[in-house]
Amino acid sequence: DSIASPTDDTVPQFGCVRCTNKFYSAVSMGGAEGRYADVIFEQKATLARIVDLKEGKRPVSGDRRIVVRIQGGESFDVNSANLSVTKDGYMVASNPKQITESDSVSEKNGTHSV
């Protein structure tokens, strides 16, 4: 069963962005080993809505299994003005600007580094 209609505004949604390159390195952070990430991603992201969510168990191991179907939505612009990184390392975009056909990202620089 679907958890809601794909156009329902109450359906959880999240942004998806394509990472074109990434580099991870170990660094010292307060005497402990931490990780540093240099990530290069496209300036165009897409909203995705959860269409179907099912939880179950894996047939052999019995471990938890989650199956999620998503549906792509509108594209939005990703840039340093609307980006931040959470304490846990997640990239978050605030007040994203929807991209129209005339704002094609391919006409811009195409990638952005954080």
Side-chain angles (χ1 to χ4, degrees), residues 59-108:
V60 176
S61 67
D63 291 341
R64 183 178 181 204
R65 176 179 166 178
I66 298 174
V67 178
V68 180
R69 279 190 353 192
I70 62 173
Q71 178 181 38
E74 294 122 12
S75 295
F76 63 94
D77 191 30
V78 178
N79 60 54
S80 58
N82 68 358
L83 282 181
S84 62
V85 179
T86 67
K87 181 177 139 187
D88 297 330
Y90 292 99
M91 185 171 65
V92 179
S94 302
N95 303 316
K97 175 189 170 228
Q98 184 176 348
I99 296 176
T100 62
E101 289 298 317
S102 62
D103 294 333
S104 175
V105 171
S106 62
E107 295 171 7
K108 297 180 184 177

Side-chain angles (χ1 to χ4, degrees), residues 3-57:
I3 62 170
S5 166
T7 57
D8 186 346
D9 287 338
T10 63
V11 175
Q13 55 182 340
F14 53 93
C16 303
V17 65
R18 191 169 90 93
C19 175
T20 57
N21 195 6
K22 59 187 175 231
F23 171 77
Y24 295 103
S25 178
V27 294
S28 178
M29 298 178 69
E33 184 176 305
R35 287 180 56 131
Y36 166 82
D38 187 14
V39 181
I40 299 174
F41 53 90
E42 293 185 2
Q43 289 181 308
K44 176 183 174 185
T46 304
L47 283 176
R49 294 180 185 271
I50 296 175
V51 176
D52 189 44
L53 175 69
K54 294 181 183 170
E55 185 173 349
K57 293 188 180 227

